[in-house]
């Protein structure tokens, strides 16, 4: 199918998106086609090692998403009618299209910067603007939309951290606020995506802190503007683990070790705060539980150490929920 469409017919698709962006029936059909076309399920998108087709496919995907995104961002949100069908559904599928392309493992994204090709940066920029243009309560209200939005955020923290760190501090904090809210979602898939985003951020900070890199300097700038970011995330993660719904506790465990290593003071502050909320009898039990949690845990993010700490967190949760008082 790719050989049939490239190069004669693929350039038509962004023109359709640019012209018919405000026609939901047309755009949803086009975007669903693009989603299926670039989604690498079962590794079906498999080009030869020397083939440029992966890059060409991403370029075509970027062109469609950008054409639709630019036009829809410039259009006012309808005050009446079905807002999801008229605007949010198209944005949700457009983000899902880009998520599939970004996570398809058939593109070497370093090529775009090397050859000054704007396709990647443009797609990330437009998609981020779409994601953040939607009020957070609306994102949470529509499950498919929230999965697309938080899935996009997880991918940019995982694979495009340099671009993410280069954002203005106000935009970065808007992103982190959305991740923080999504972390507390009752939908385990959404909270898991947000927990993974936090893990990518904390892992990057722990492994690169002190290095002379532009992205590290940018992150330090963000943290200087919002010094309680890590402590707020740490408190939320531990509260979800200890007091949250049982279906979410696996999701929130993954970033805990990386966050503790990235900001030990945040963990200590939460531990002290939790101790102060308990009576003297519970304080002794809680202190013992924390000591067991931290025993034999190395300052490392290797898989074996992560797994060991996750097991200890499970035991910590079980032991403390028996006596902790709110």
């Amino acid at each position: 199918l790719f050989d049939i469409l490239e190069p004669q017919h693929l350039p038509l698709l962004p023109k359709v998106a640019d012209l018919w962006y405000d026609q939901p029936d047309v755009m949803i059909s086009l975007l669903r086609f693009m989603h299926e076309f670039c989604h690498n399920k079962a590794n079906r998108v498999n080009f030869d090692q020397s083939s440029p087709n992966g890059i060409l496919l991403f370029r075509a995907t970027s062109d469609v998403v950008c054409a639709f995104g630019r036009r829809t961002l410039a259009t006012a949100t309808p005050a009446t009618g079905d807002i999801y069908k008229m605007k949010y559904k198209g944005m949700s599928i457009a983000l899902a299209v880009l998520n599939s392309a970004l996570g398809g493992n058939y593109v070497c994204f370093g090529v775009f910067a090397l050859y000054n090709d704007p396709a990647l940066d443009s797609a990330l920029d437009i998609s981020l603007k779409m994601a953040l243009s939607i009020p957070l309560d609306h994102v949470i209200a529509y499950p498919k939309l929230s999965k697309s939005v938080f899935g996009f955020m997880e991918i940019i923290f995982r694979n495009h951290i340099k671009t993410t760190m280069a954002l203005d501090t106000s935009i970065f904090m808007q992103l982190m606020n959305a991740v923080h809210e999504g972390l507390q979602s009752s939908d385990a898939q959404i909270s898991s995506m947000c927990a993974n985003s936090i893990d990518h951020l904390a892992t990057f900070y722990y492994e690169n802190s002190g290095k002379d890199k532009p992205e590290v300097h940018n992150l330090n700038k963000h943290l200087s503007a919002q010094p309680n970011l890590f402590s707020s995330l740490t408190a939320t993660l531990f509260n979800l683990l200890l007091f949250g719904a049982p279906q979410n506790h696996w999701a929130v465990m993954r970033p805990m070790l990386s966050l503790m290593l990235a900001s030990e003071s945040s963990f200590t502050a939460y531990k002290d705060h939790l101790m102060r909320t308990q009576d003297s009898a519970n304080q002794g039990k809680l202190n013992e539980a924390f000591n067991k949690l931290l025993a034999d845990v190395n300052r490392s993010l290797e898989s074996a150490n992560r797994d060991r700490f996750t097991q200890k967190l499970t035991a910590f949760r079980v032991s403390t929920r028996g006596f902790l008082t709110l």
Side-chain angles (χ1 to χ4, degrees), residues 51-98:
S51 171
N53 288 349
I55 295 169
L56 295 174
L57 176 55
F58 182 81
R59 257 197 212 150
T61 303
S62 172
D63 288 344
V64 172
V65 171
C66 289
F68 169 73
R70 287 191 189 99
R71 297 285 276 177
T72 199
L73 285 169
T75 305
T77 300
T80 59
D82 187 345
I83 188 174
Y84 180 74
K85 181 178 180 181
M86 295 176 70
K87 188 156 189 177
Y88 293 160
K89 189 172 185 178
M91 297 171 82
S92 174
I93 303 173
L95 288 170
V97 169
L98 192 66

Side-chain angles (χ1 to χ4, degrees), residues 97 153 187 209 215 253 262 274 294 310:
V97 169
M153 292 178 182
D187 187 315
S209 182
E215 51 268 40
M253 283 184 186
L274 188 62
L294 299 176
T310 298

Side-chain angles (χ1 to χ4, degrees), residues 12-303:
L12 175 66
L13 302 183
K15 293 178 182 178
V16 172
D18 185 67
L19 184 62
W20 298 93
Y21 70 97
D22 58 348
Q23 300 297 316
D25 292 339
V26 176
M27 280 313 306
I28 287 169
S29 298
L30 172 60
L31 291 169
R32 278 179 172 162
F33 166 75
M34 289 302 301
H35 190 217
E36 286 296 317
F37 190 48
C38 68
H39 184 34
N40 194 14
K41 52 187 173 186
N43 290 319
R44 64 189 179 122
V45 183
N46 185 19
F47 299 119
D48 291 339
Q49 195 170 19
S50 60
S51 171
N53 288 349
I55 295 169
L56 295 174
L57 176 55
F58 182 81
R59 257 197 212 150
T61 303
S62 172
D63 288 344
V64 172
V65 171
C66 289
F68 169 73
R70 287 191 189 99
R71 297 285 276 177
T72 199
L73 285 169
T75 305
T77 300
T80 59
D82 187 345
I83 188 174
Y84 180 74
K85 181 178 180 181
M86 295 176 70
K87 188 156 189 177
Y88 293 160
K89 189 172 185 178
M91 297 171 82
S92 174
I93 303 173
L95 288 170
V97 169
L98 192 66
N99 293 348
S100 292
L102 290 171
N105 294 321
Y106 50 77
V107 186
C108 177
F109 289 108
V111 168
F112 294 103
L114 186 63
Y115 293 102
N116 296 316
D117 187 326
L120 175 62
D121 287 342
S122 297
L124 293 175
D125 178 57
I126 291 295
S127 297
L128 183 62
K129 286 176 179 175
M130 279 198 291
L132 295 181
S133 71
I134 307 169
L136 197 50
D137 56 333
H138 289 191
V139 173
I140 300 293
Y142 298 104
K144 289 183 179 180
L145 177 62
S146 59
K147 287 179 173 64
S148 294
V149 169
F150 291 118
F152 171 71
M153 292 178 182
E154 193 274 330
I155 284 178
I156 63 172
F157 275 105
R158 169 163 37 104
N159 293 334
H160 303 281
I161 195 78
K162 190 172 183 179
T163 300
T164 308
M165 293 304 105
L167 296 170
D168 288 343
T169 296
S170 60
I171 301 298
F172 179 79
M173 288 307 165
Q174 190 180 352
L175 196 61
M176 290 310 304
N177 180 58
V179 169
H180 193 190
E181 288 297 316
L183 181 66
Q184 302 167 72
S185 170
S186 58
D187 187 315
Q189 185 179 351
I190 293 171
S191 59
S192 180
M193 288 188 288
C194 293
N196 286 338
S197 298
I198 296 168
D199 182 49
H200 301 319
L201 175 65
T203 298
F204 171 79
Y205 185 74
Y206 173 69
E207 293 180 344
N208 294 277
S209 182
K211 294 182 180 179
D212 187 17
K213 293 181 175 181
E215 51 268 40
V216 176
H217 298 318
N218 287 332
L219 179 54
N220 287 332
K221 180 184 69 174
H222 300 325
L223 293 175
S224 296
Q226 191 72 31
N228 66 339
L229 175 63
F230 283 154
S231 58
S232 174
L233 293 173
T234 299
T236 299
L237 284 165
F238 268 98
N239 285 337
L240 287 171
L241 178 71
L242 296 176
F243 308 114
Q247 68 266 27
N248 277 14
H249 80 268
W250 283 108
V252 303
M253 283 184 186
R254 179 163 181 80
M256 283 184 160
L257 179 59
S258 56
L259 200 54
M260 286 171 60
L261 293 177
S263 178
E264 293 184 37
S265 60
S266 297
F267 169 71
T268 303
Y270 178 79
K271 176 185 173 183
D272 293 343
H273 167 74
L274 188 62
M275 294 281 280
R276 289 194 299 270
T277 65
Q278 304 299 305
D279 59 33
S280 56
N282 281 353
Q283 284 180 1
K285 296 178 185 177
L286 186 57
N287 190 54
E288 182 182 354
F290 271 116
N291 289 336
K292 288 182 179 178
L293 173 65
L294 299 176
D296 302 322
V297 176
N298 302 322
R299 292 181 56 81
S300 151
L301 291 175
E302 295 177 357
S303 295

Side-chain angles (χ1 to χ4, degrees), residues 306-324:
R306 281 183 182 269
D307 292 343
R308 181 164 57 249
F309 189 69
T310 298
Q311 292 170 2
K312 285 176 168 290
L313 279 171
T314 302
F316 175 77
R317 179 178 185 273
V318 171
S319 65
T320 54
R321 279 173 71 95
F323 63 83
L324 279 179

